[in-house]
Amino acid sequence: IIRELAGVKVNALMPYFDAGTFAYRKHPYLGTKGDGGFTVEKARILSAYAAEHFVELVPQQNSLGHLGGALGHQELAHLRDGGGTINMVKPETLSFLGDLYDDLVEGFPNATAIHVGGDEFGGDFGKDLAVAARIAEIGAPAVYAEFLMKLRDLLRQRNRAMMIWWNEQGYTLDAAPQLAKDIAVFDWHYGPQEDYPSLDRLIDAGFSQPWATPAVTRYYDGTNDWGNTFANIGGFARAGARRRVPGICTCTWVHGMWGGRNLFELNLYGLVYSAESSWNPER
């Protein structure tokens, strides 16, 4: 995968982790694949190999939502807010995530940033009494901002920048006055549009690094949806280029989620098109 994508001038890849796919040293129960999954040692080998091909491996470790698998472990039950959302007010949460970031920094030494997630957590946000009390005190966007800024401090201590998803419930924009503007915000929309004015909203809010984030959308179902994929990627690339955003990050969400047949090989076509759109957006 690294070789093929480097050949079309893709210069970064983002392996995605929530729980079960990385053998974290201080929390080995998370690595349900054991040595068969990602390990620090494998990550270092892949990072070095990627660097030889001018590709940066940037890890993404969900740190707000999408953590149902992790928080389902008895060892982490005390960090659960509700469902797959982590408790954003407990100090122990930061200690736990710091442990994960330590392994990611060691495993991905060439990564300039770590993506911490930040989308799709709102359904379980505030179910814990302590979190609910803090929300009642300062408001949900402020709790979100408070937590993200603490994560940013954790990463700065480890010499890493922070990347997040734009939050689909509006928290990112609502909390913008309280967030550092050097946080890279990935503006994700997976459908074709004439333009993507959501980038303007992030820019107007002061964020200096809004990324255009389309997707190879074959995971929706098993049909041939290249029309949607190409219109999304090409349109978002043009919109981003006009606004001089730092880059485009094309998602794949592989492994047949939600019933779709989305083996990685079926995504390569869309990723090659994404590379061409990135380097020649107006072509």
Side-chain angles (χ1 to χ4, degrees):
I1 292 170
I2 290 170
R3 281 198 308 274
E4 291 296 322
L5 294 181
V8 293
K9 296 196 293 186
V10 169
N11 53 23
L13 295 176
M14 185 176 290
Y16 166 88
F17 310 115
D18 43 31
T21 51
F22 197 102
Y24 288 107
R25 289 169 172 170
K26 289 187 179 179
H27 304 275
Y29 51 87
L30 293 178
T32 55
K33 296 183 179 180
D35 289 341
F38 255 91
T39 64
V40 170
E41 293 75 17
K42 284 183 183 179
R44 289 184 67 86
I45 292 169
L46 283 172
S47 294
Y49 184 80
E52 293 173 1
H53 291 79
F54 307 99
V55 172
E56 179 183 351
L57 293 191
V58 180
Q60 178 176 167
Q61 170 56 58
N62 260 312
S63 304
L64 284 77
H66 288 290
L67 288 172
L71 298 173
H73 290 279
Q74 188 59 38
E75 293 90 338
L76 298 178
H78 64 295
L79 298 184
R80 189 184 303 129
D81 183 355
T85 297
I86 206 163
N87 191 306
M88 298 186 201
V89 303
K90 279 193 172 182
E92 300 94 316
T93 295
L94 298 177
S95 299
F96 165 67
L97 292 173
D99 291 341
L100 307 192
Y101 298 159
D102 284 340
D103 279 4
L104 295 178
V105 166
E106 185 178 349
F108 299 92
N110 301 322
T112 55
I114 291 176
H115 198 303
V116 302
D119 65 332
E120 299 177 335
F121 65 84
D124 296 311
F125 184 31
K127 290 188 175 179
D128 177 80
L129 293 178
V131 179
R134 188 62 175 155
I135 290 174
E137 181 181 0
I138 64 174
V143 174
Y144 161 85
E146 191 174 60
F147 184 62
L148 282 184
M149 291 301 291
K150 290 176 181 177
L151 297 187
R152 178 175 175 269
D153 288 343
L154 287 180
L155 295 180
R156 283 167 64 88
Q157 292 164 15
R158 292 159 174 79
N159 198 31
R160 294 296 186 274
M162 187 165 82
M163 296 172 165
I164 65 172
W165 294 115
W166 158 81
N167 181 265
E168 74 289 348
Q169 291 183 295
Y171 289 131
T172 309
L173 290 173
D174 291 344
Q178 298 161 274
L179 292 172
K181 300 308 183 291
D182 60 357
I183 296 172
V185 182
F186 282 52
D187 183 31
W188 56 281
H189 300 280
Y190 300 158
Q193 299 176 198
E194 288 297 319
D195 194 16
Y196 292 81
S198 50
L199 289 169
D200 295 323
R201 291 192 284 273
L202 291 169
I203 293 168
D204 292 344
F207 291 106
S208 62
Q209 298 186 67
W211 282 66
T213 315
V216 180
T217 54
R218 294 188 64 91
Y219 66 85
Y220 283 137
D221 58 45
T223 62
N224 184 343
D225 64 349
W226 291 116
N228 181 81
T229 285
F230 287 173
N232 179 218
I233 291 172
F236 223 158
R238 288 188 294 273
R242 287 194 293 269
R243 294 162 174 87
R244 303 182 68 83
V245 304
I248 177 174
C249 175
T250 301
C251 304
T252 57
W253 305 125
V254 298
H255 305 314
M257 291 191 203
W258 308 297
R261 185 169 177 268
N262 201 34
L263 302 176
F264 181 81
E265 291 78 3
L266 298 178
N267 290 270
L268 189 57
Y269 186 30
L271 292 176
V272 170
Y273 179 79
S274 177
E276 177 65 16
S277 298
S278 301
W279 289 101
N280 300 288
E282 299 297 339
R283 181 175 291 183

